Amino acid sequence: MAQIKPDTLKLPFSKYPAWTITKLRPIAIEKIQAVHEWVETRCIPAQGLMKAQLATDRWKMPLLMRQLREEAKQRGLFNLFLPKEFEDSPGLTNLEYACCAEIMGKVYWAAQTMNCHAPETGNIELLAKYCNAQQKEQWLKPLLRGEFASAYSMTEPDVASSDATNIAISIRREGDEYVINGRKLFANAKRNPEVKLYILMGCTDPNNPNPWRRHSMLLIPSDTPGFRMRQNLSIMGYDCAPEGHGEYIYDNVRIPVSNVILGEGRAFEIAQGRLGPGRIHHCMRLIGQAELAYEYALVRATDERKKPRGKLIGQFDSNIERIAQMRLELDALRLVVFNAADTMDALGNKSGRYVIAQSKILVPIAVAKIVDECMQLYGGQGLTQHTPLPEIWTYARFVRVADGPDAAHRHQVGRDQLKTAGSVVARHQQYYKIALQLRKQFGLDEELGDDCTWEYIEPKL
């Protein structure tokens, strides 16, 4: 039982459902409070300064970010995401980390100050789970210390890579080396000198009859000859500097065979282990982004300077209802994400795939809708850089595609649900049999007709 009295709840705990609070251990309460204080005092007030420093050199980590990362490390706020089964983990459950990640989400870059940002979280967990001792020494430990950044190179422009079995970049073995040729999209920009490592998924065995054993993952140092970034990719007009997203060319790139992760043909095993928690980390942070957007809406609704037709914006009935609906939807989304995190804690990532998909499908769409409503309250100003609302909306829209488009996740959910149809049909057939028995019991022997409460399914006798 958490050591919080219900009548003394303050932010951020006042927004959590009661069942969540009862599952938070004292160590988690301490970390959540520390993260809240960190974001409220060190990140939110510094947003303007961070933008100003970034404007002087778009592709280098700002001095403020370096200072904040070092301070966060000293405060014990680094790598909070790392699951408790790993040696360097702070010991938080998925649910406890979800509380922290929501707070981090209030400022887009706040997670980076704590080394808890994408793609670092997924990459670090991948390296911790699947790499050998030498690979961990060379790549994992420096990433945990925040000494450089990493990227994940999976999506391809020339195939429908939302079905990852289509990934076709060629990885051919020659002696003690792999030779790589092909194109990739979206991994973090090489223009940022902090990015030292790319984790590449490619095809090593295209003729394997098992499509799930054709691919491998390799560690690619960013300075490898033949590996170049063709251009930065903007995301709906944003360059996302200094991380960015690139289009990459692999032209006879050679790396040692020792850079393969786990072994040839193991890429899908690795990818599934990486994507489970990572898919909802975005959703956790989106809840925080939506909370910030909602706060902006409350500010606008009560601004004494803004009185169309002599009334505060928040005094119009339509806006009162808009504020209420946003609050209800936002709290419902938190329940979805927290349930996913708790299910992963209780049953494991594989058993939690439905709730992971549920979060991934529902949260970005709903957050984009909430932010859109906040922008409406601001009118034309809500479309400008005067507020972070356009950037928050773009992030929510981006997350609908990150780690797989909605259609891929809906297909998985729908396919799994259709597998349950057999048991549903069997139950309804049983209803039919019982209904026949009841009719006989009460002297109604005629066949069931249109007066039935349900359309029973006749048993196949």
Side-chain angles (χ1 to χ4, degrees), residues 22 45 69 71 79 109-110 122 138 157 204 208 221 224 249 266 271 302-303 328 359 367 374 378 417 431:
T22 64
R69 280 171 63 83
E71 185 179 345
N79 304 317
W109 47 262
Q138 183 177 2
T204 48
N208 192 314
T224 304
I249 305 297
R266 309 288 294 275
T302 57
D303 189 340
L328 294 169
S359 296
V367 168
C374 296
Y378 273 83
Q417 290 302 303
Y431 299 156

PDB file of all heavy atoms in Angstrom, residues 22 45 69 71 79 109-110 122 138 157 204 208 221 224 249 266 271 302-303 328 359 367 374 378 417 431:
ATOM      1  N   THR A  22      -2.570   2.729  -4.993  1.00  0.00           N
ATOM      2  CA  THR A  22      -2.347   1.619  -4.066  1.00  0.00           C
ATOM      3  C   THR A  22      -1.210   0.714  -4.512  1.00  0.00           C
ATOM      4  O   THR A  22      -0.697  -0.069  -3.705  1.00  0.00           O
ATOM      5  CB  THR A  22      -3.625   0.772  -3.913  1.00  0.00           C
ATOM      6  OG1 THR A  22      -3.955   0.166  -5.176  1.00  0.00           O
ATOM      7  CG2 THR A  22      -4.782   1.612  -3.422  1.00  0.00           C
ATOM      8  N   PRO A  45      10.055  25.958 -17.224  1.00  0.00           N
ATOM      9  CA  PRO A  45      10.489  27.357 -17.331  1.00  0.00           C
ATOM     10  C   PRO A  45      11.616  27.571 -18.334  1.00  0.00           C
ATOM     11  O   PRO A  45      11.864  28.716 -18.744  1.00  0.00           O
ATOM     12  CB  PRO A  45      10.972  27.679 -15.902  1.00  0.00           C
ATOM     13  CG  PRO A  45      10.349  26.645 -15.025  1.00  0.00           C
ATOM     14  CD  PRO A  45      10.283  25.418 -15.864  1.00  0.00           C
ATOM     15  N   ARG A  69      21.241  17.288 -18.244  1.00  0.00           N
ATOM     16  CA  ARG A  69      21.483  15.846 -18.230  1.00  0.00           C
ATOM     17  C   ARG A  69      22.463  15.464 -17.112  1.00  0.00           C
ATOM     18  O   ARG A  69      22.272  14.474 -16.408  1.00  0.00           O
ATOM     19  CB  ARG A  69      22.021  15.388 -19.595  1.00  0.00           C
ATOM     20  CG  ARG A  69      20.922  15.223 -20.630  1.00  0.00           C
ATOM     21  CD  ARG A  69      21.472  14.988 -22.024  1.00  0.00           C
ATOM     22  NE  ARG A  69      22.236  13.756 -22.138  1.00  0.00           N
ATOM     23  CZ  ARG A  69      21.706  12.546 -22.333  1.00  0.00           C
ATOM     24  NH1 ARG A  69      20.387  12.396 -22.398  1.00  0.00           N
ATOM     25  NH2 ARG A  69      22.479  11.488 -22.469  1.00  0.00           N
ATOM     26  N   GLU A  71      23.011  17.169 -14.358  1.00  0.00           N
ATOM     27  CA  GLU A  71      22.358  17.394 -13.073  1.00  0.00           C
ATOM     28  C   GLU A  71      21.351  16.288 -12.769  1.00  0.00           C
ATOM     29  O   GLU A  71      21.261  15.806 -11.625  1.00  0.00           O
ATOM     30  CB  GLU A  71      21.651  18.756 -13.072  1.00  0.00           C
ATOM     31  CG  GLU A  71      21.047  19.119 -11.722  1.00  0.00           C
ATOM     32  CD  GLU A  71      20.368  20.481 -11.732  1.00  0.00           C
ATOM     33  OE1 GLU A  71      20.594  21.267 -12.678  1.00  0.00           O
ATOM     34  OE2 GLU A  71      19.601  20.758 -10.779  1.00  0.00           O
ATOM     35  N   ASN A  79      17.843   7.039 -16.623  1.00  0.00           N
ATOM     36  CA  ASN A  79      17.495   5.655 -17.008  1.00  0.00           C
ATOM     37  C   ASN A  79      16.368   5.061 -16.162  1.00  0.00           C
ATOM     38  O   ASN A  79      16.364   3.866 -15.863  1.00  0.00           O
ATOM     39  CB  ASN A  79      18.733   4.743 -16.930  1.00  0.00           C
ATOM     40  CG  ASN A  79      19.886   5.247 -17.784  1.00  0.00           C
ATOM     41  OD1 ASN A  79      19.691   5.681 -18.912  1.00  0.00           O
ATOM     42  ND2 ASN A  79      21.087   5.200 -17.232  1.00  0.00           N
ATOM     43  N   TRP A 109      11.225  17.664 -24.668  1.00  0.00           N
ATOM     44  CA  TRP A 109      12.619  17.258 -24.493  1.00  0.00           C
ATOM     45  C   TRP A 109      12.957  16.892 -23.048  1.00  0.00           C
ATOM     46  O   TRP A 109      14.104  16.542 -22.751  1.00  0.00           O
ATOM     47  CB  TRP A 109      13.577  18.353 -24.974  1.00  0.00           C
ATOM     48  CG  TRP A 109      13.262  19.747 -24.511  1.00  0.00           C
ATOM     49  CD1 TRP A 109      12.610  20.713 -25.200  1.00  0.00           C
ATOM     50  CD2 TRP A 109      13.581  20.340 -23.235  1.00  0.00           C
ATOM     51  NE1 TRP A 109      12.495  21.877 -24.452  1.00  0.00           N
ATOM     52  CE2 TRP A 109      13.092  21.666 -23.248  1.00  0.00           C
ATOM     53  CE3 TRP A 109      14.233  19.877 -22.085  1.00  0.00           C
ATOM     54  CZ2 TRP A 109      13.237  22.536 -22.161  1.00  0.00           C
ATOM     55  CZ3 TRP A 109      14.369  20.739 -21.001  1.00  0.00           C
ATOM     56  CH2 TRP A 109      13.886  22.041 -21.055  1.00  0.00           C
ATOM     57  N   ALA A 110      11.997  16.955 -22.141  1.00  0.00           N
ATOM     58  CA  ALA A 110      12.296  16.676 -20.727  1.00  0.00           C
ATOM     59  C   ALA A 110      12.794  15.254 -20.532  1.00  0.00           C
ATOM     60  O   ALA A 110      13.687  15.003 -19.714  1.00  0.00           O
ATOM     61  CB  ALA A 110      11.063  16.927 -19.868  1.00  0.00           C
ATOM     62  N   GLY A 122      14.302   2.219 -26.051  1.00  0.00           N
ATOM     63  CA  GLY A 122      14.213   0.925 -26.716  1.00  0.00           C
ATOM     64  C   GLY A 122      15.568   0.343 -27.045  1.00  0.00           C
ATOM     65  O   GLY A 122      15.800  -0.870 -26.891  1.00  0.00           O
ATOM     66  N   GLN A 138      31.173  -2.040 -24.962  1.00  0.00           N
ATOM     67  CA  GLN A 138      31.480  -1.024 -25.971  1.00  0.00           C
ATOM     68  C   GLN A 138      30.345  -0.039 -26.192  1.00  0.00           C
ATOM     69  O   GLN A 138      30.584   1.154 -26.408  1.00  0.00           O
ATOM     70  CB  GLN A 138      31.831  -1.705 -27.298  1.00  0.00           C
ATOM     71  CG  GLN A 138      32.243  -0.720 -28.395  1.00  0.00           C
ATOM     72  CD  GLN A 138      32.660  -1.425 -29.671  1.00  0.00           C
ATOM     73  OE1 GLN A 138      32.602  -2.667 -29.765  1.00  0.00           O
ATOM     74  NE2 GLN A 138      33.087  -0.660 -30.664  1.00  0.00           N
ATOM     75  N   PRO A 157      12.141   2.783 -47.573  1.00  0.00           N
ATOM     76  CA  PRO A 157      11.250   3.511 -48.489  1.00  0.00           C
ATOM     77  C   PRO A 157      10.767   2.687 -49.676  1.00  0.00           C
ATOM     78  O   PRO A 157       9.797   3.068 -50.339  1.00  0.00           O
ATOM     79  CB  PRO A 157      12.141   4.662 -48.977  1.00  0.00           C
ATOM     80  CG  PRO A 157      13.523   4.096 -48.939  1.00  0.00           C
ATOM     81  CD  PRO A 157      13.555   3.160 -47.751  1.00  0.00           C
ATOM     82  N   THR A 204      19.560 -11.100 -44.095  1.00  0.00           N
ATOM     83  CA  THR A 204      20.778 -11.905 -44.258  1.00  0.00           C
ATOM     84  C   THR A 204      20.524 -13.223 -44.978  1.00  0.00           C
ATOM     85  O   THR A 204      21.449 -13.845 -45.466  1.00  0.00           O
ATOM     86  CB  THR A 204      21.400 -12.217 -42.874  1.00  0.00           C
ATOM     87  OG1 THR A 204      20.379 -12.697 -41.998  1.00  0.00           O
ATOM     88  CG2 THR A 204      22.048 -10.981 -42.276  1.00  0.00           C
ATOM     89  N   ASN A 208      15.357 -18.084 -47.070  1.00  0.00           N
ATOM     90  CA  ASN A 208      14.896 -18.960 -45.991  1.00  0.00           C
ATOM     91  C   ASN A 208      13.375 -19.152 -46.111  1.00  0.00           C
ATOM     92  O   ASN A 208      12.639 -18.171 -46.224  1.00  0.00           O
ATOM     93  CB  ASN A 208      15.242 -18.328 -44.636  1.00  0.00           C
ATOM     94  CG  ASN A 208      15.076 -19.293 -43.478  1.00  0.00           C
ATOM     95  OD1 ASN A 208      14.082 -19.999 -43.370  1.00  0.00           O
ATOM     96  ND2 ASN A 208      16.062 -19.308 -42.597  1.00  0.00           N
ATOM     97  N   PRO A 221      28.559   1.456 -36.385  1.00  0.00           N
ATOM     98  CA  PRO A 221      29.124   2.739 -35.948  1.00  0.00           C
ATOM     99  C   PRO A 221      28.814   3.818 -36.978  1.00  0.00           C
ATOM    100  O   PRO A 221      28.854   3.576 -38.189  1.00  0.00           O
ATOM    101  CB  PRO A 221      30.629   2.448 -35.864  1.00  0.00           C
ATOM    102  CG  PRO A 221      30.723   0.958 -35.698  1.00  0.00           C
ATOM    103  CD  PRO A 221      29.592   0.397 -36.500  1.00  0.00           C
ATOM    104  N   THR A 224      31.177   4.571 -40.096  1.00  0.00           N
ATOM    105  CA  THR A 224      31.561   3.470 -40.978  1.00  0.00           C
ATOM    106  C   THR A 224      31.589   3.942 -42.426  1.00  0.00           C
ATOM    107  O   THR A 224      30.608   4.540 -42.904  1.00  0.00           O
ATOM    108  CB  THR A 224      30.579   2.293 -40.835  1.00  0.00           C
ATOM    109  OG1 THR A 224      30.521   1.890 -39.460  1.00  0.00           O
ATOM    110  CG2 THR A 224      31.017   1.112 -41.687  1.00  0.00           C
ATOM    111  N   ILE A 249      21.774   5.939 -47.018  1.00  0.00           N
ATOM    112  CA  ILE A 249      22.285   5.054 -48.060  1.00  0.00           C
ATOM    113  C   ILE A 249      23.375   4.175 -47.449  1.00  0.00           C
ATOM    114  O   ILE A 249      24.313   4.683 -46.805  1.00  0.00           O
ATOM    115  CB  ILE A 249      22.882   5.853 -49.239  1.00  0.00           C
ATOM    116  CG1 ILE A 249      21.852   6.849 -49.791  1.00  0.00           C
ATOM    117  CG2 ILE A 249      23.370   4.897 -50.323  1.00  0.00           C
ATOM    118  CD1 ILE A 249      20.618   6.213 -50.377  1.00  0.00           C
ATOM    119  N   ARG A 266      17.812 -13.699 -36.056  1.00  0.00           N
ATOM    120  CA  ARG A 266      17.143 -13.481 -34.764  1.00  0.00           C
ATOM    121  C   ARG A 266      16.477 -12.098 -34.662  1.00  0.00           C
ATOM    122  O   ARG A 266      16.038 -11.695 -33.583  1.00  0.00           O
ATOM    123  CB  ARG A 266      18.157 -13.634 -33.621  1.00  0.00           C
ATOM    124  CG  ARG A 266      18.981 -14.914 -33.655  1.00  0.00           C
ATOM    125  CD  ARG A 266      18.180 -16.130 -33.291  1.00  0.00           C
ATOM    126  NE  ARG A 266      17.729 -16.131 -31.922  1.00  0.00           N
ATOM    127  CZ  ARG A 266      18.475 -16.574 -30.880  1.00  0.00           C
ATOM    128  NH1 ARG A 266      19.718 -17.007 -31.083  1.00  0.00           N
ATOM    129  NH2 ARG A 266      17.979 -16.585 -29.656  1.00  0.00           N
ATOM    130  N   ALA A 271      13.269  -7.672 -32.147  1.00  0.00           N
ATOM    131  CA  ALA A 271      12.357  -6.550 -32.371  1.00  0.00           C
ATOM    132  C   ALA A 271      11.144  -6.621 -31.464  1.00  0.00           C
ATOM    133  O   ALA A 271      10.699  -5.605 -30.912  1.00  0.00           O
ATOM    134  CB  ALA A 271      11.918  -6.512 -33.833  1.00  0.00           C
ATOM    135  N   THR A 302      -9.859  31.525 -19.202  1.00  0.00           N
ATOM    136  CA  THR A 302     -10.048  32.422 -18.051  1.00  0.00           C
ATOM    137  C   THR A 302      -9.260  33.725 -18.188  1.00  0.00           C
ATOM    138  O   THR A 302      -9.128  34.474 -17.219  1.00  0.00           O
ATOM    139  CB  THR A 302      -9.636  31.704 -16.751  1.00  0.00           C
ATOM    140  OG1 THR A 302      -8.267  31.258 -16.871  1.00  0.00           O
ATOM    141  CG2 THR A 302     -10.528  30.499 -16.496  1.00  0.00           C
ATOM    142  N   ASP A 303      -8.735  34.003 -19.379  1.00  0.00           N
ATOM    143  CA  ASP A 303      -7.931  35.200 -19.619  1.00  0.00           C
ATOM    144  C   ASP A 303      -8.844  36.429 -19.665  1.00  0.00           C
ATOM    145  O   ASP A 303      -9.703  36.558 -20.551  1.00  0.00           O
ATOM    146  CB  ASP A 303      -7.176  35.050 -20.945  1.00  0.00           C
ATOM    147  CG  ASP A 303      -6.147  36.155 -21.157  1.00  0.00           C
ATOM    148  OD1 ASP A 303      -6.257  37.219 -20.507  1.00  0.00           O
ATOM    149  OD2 ASP A 303      -5.241  35.960 -21.986  1.00  0.00           O
ATOM    150  N   LEU A 328     -12.624  14.628 -19.406  1.00  0.00           N
ATOM    151  CA  LEU A 328     -13.107  13.252 -19.332  1.00  0.00           C
ATOM    152  C   LEU A 328     -12.297  12.333 -20.237  1.00  0.00           C
ATOM    153  O   LEU A 328     -11.905  11.228 -19.843  1.00  0.00           O
ATOM    154  CB  LEU A 328     -14.592  13.199 -19.729  1.00  0.00           C
ATOM    155  CG  LEU A 328     -15.575  13.900 -18.779  1.00  0.00           C
ATOM    156  CD1 LEU A 328     -16.950  14.010 -19.426  1.00  0.00           C
ATOM    157  CD2 LEU A 328     -15.662  13.160 -17.453  1.00  0.00           C
ATOM    158  N   SER A 359      -3.546   0.878 -26.447  1.00  0.00           N
ATOM    159  CA  SER A 359      -2.947   2.189 -26.166  1.00  0.00           C
ATOM    160  C   SER A 359      -2.435   2.839 -27.428  1.00  0.00           C
ATOM    161  O   SER A 359      -2.672   4.032 -27.682  1.00  0.00           O
ATOM    162  CB  SER A 359      -1.801   2.037 -25.159  1.00  0.00           C
ATOM    163  OG  SER A 359      -2.263   1.580 -23.918  1.00  0.00           O
ATOM    164  N   VAL A 367      -5.473  12.137 -28.314  1.00  0.00           N
ATOM    165  CA  VAL A 367      -4.680  13.295 -27.902  1.00  0.00           C
ATOM    166  C   VAL A 367      -4.679  14.359 -29.004  1.00  0.00           C
ATOM    167  O   VAL A 367      -4.812  15.559 -28.718  1.00  0.00           O
ATOM    168  CB  VAL A 367      -3.243  12.871 -27.540  1.00  0.00           C
ATOM    169  CG1 VAL A 367      -2.335  14.099 -27.404  1.00  0.00           C
ATOM    170  CG2 VAL A 367      -3.232  12.080 -26.241  1.00  0.00           C
ATOM    171  N   CYS A 374      -8.074  22.411 -28.040  1.00  0.00           N
ATOM    172  CA  CYS A 374      -7.349  23.494 -27.359  1.00  0.00           C
ATOM    173  C   CYS A 374      -6.959  24.586 -28.352  1.00  0.00           C
ATOM    174  O   CYS A 374      -7.048  25.791 -28.037  1.00  0.00           O
ATOM    175  CB  CYS A 374      -6.096  22.937 -26.680  1.00  0.00           C
ATOM    176  SG  CYS A 374      -6.425  21.752 -25.350  1.00  0.00           S
ATOM    177  N   TYR A 378      -7.918  28.937 -28.869  1.00  0.00           N
ATOM    178  CA  TYR A 378      -6.962  30.014 -29.119  1.00  0.00           C
ATOM    179  C   TYR A 378      -7.199  30.708 -30.459  1.00  0.00           C
ATOM    180  O   TYR A 378      -6.558  31.725 -30.753  1.00  0.00           O
ATOM    181  CB  TYR A 378      -5.525  29.478 -29.075  1.00  0.00           C
ATOM    182  CG  TYR A 378      -4.943  29.466 -27.678  1.00  0.00           C
ATOM    183  CD1 TYR A 378      -5.213  28.427 -26.813  1.00  0.00           C
ATOM    184  CD2 TYR A 378      -4.138  30.499 -27.221  1.00  0.00           C
ATOM    185  CE1 TYR A 378      -4.691  28.399 -25.517  1.00  0.00           C
ATOM    186  CE2 TYR A 378      -3.609  30.499 -25.934  1.00  0.00           C
ATOM    187  CZ  TYR A 378      -3.898  29.443 -25.088  1.00  0.00           C
ATOM    188  OH  TYR A 378      -3.385  29.436 -23.812  1.00  0.00           O
ATOM    189  N   GLN A 417      -9.351 -11.114 -32.242  1.00  0.00           N
ATOM    190  CA  GLN A 417     -10.750 -11.169 -31.808  1.00  0.00           C
ATOM    191  C   GLN A 417     -11.549 -12.191 -32.616  1.00  0.00           C
ATOM    192  O   GLN A 417     -12.406 -12.893 -32.073  1.00  0.00           O
ATOM    193  CB  GLN A 417     -11.384  -9.780 -31.923  1.00  0.00           C
ATOM    194  CG  GLN A 417     -10.866  -8.769 -30.918  1.00  0.00           C
ATOM    195  CD  GLN A 417     -11.069  -9.221 -29.483  1.00  0.00           C
ATOM    196  OE1 GLN A 417     -12.186  -9.500 -29.071  1.00  0.00           O
ATOM    197  NE2 GLN A 417      -9.974  -9.302 -28.730  1.00  0.00           N
ATOM    198  N   TYR A 431     -27.377 -20.847 -25.561  1.00  0.00           N
ATOM    199  CA  TYR A 431     -28.528 -20.008 -25.245  1.00  0.00           C
ATOM    200  C   TYR A 431     -29.779 -20.541 -25.951  1.00  0.00           C
ATOM    201  O   TYR A 431     -30.878 -20.575 -25.381  1.00  0.00           O
ATOM    202  CB  TYR A 431     -28.300 -18.559 -25.699  1.00  0.00           C
ATOM    203  CG  TYR A 431     -27.132 -17.836 -25.088  1.00  0.00           C
ATOM    204  CD1 TYR A 431     -26.541 -16.756 -25.748  1.00  0.00           C
ATOM    205  CD2 TYR A 431     -26.613 -18.195 -23.847  1.00  0.00           C
ATOM    206  CE1 TYR A 431     -25.478 -16.073 -25.209  1.00  0.00           C
ATOM    207  CE2 TYR A 431     -25.543 -17.512 -23.295  1.00  0.00           C
ATOM    208  CZ  TYR A 431     -24.970 -16.461 -23.977  1.00  0.00           C
ATOM    209  OH  TYR A 431     -23.904 -15.785 -23.446  1.00  0.00           O
TER     210      TYR A 431
END
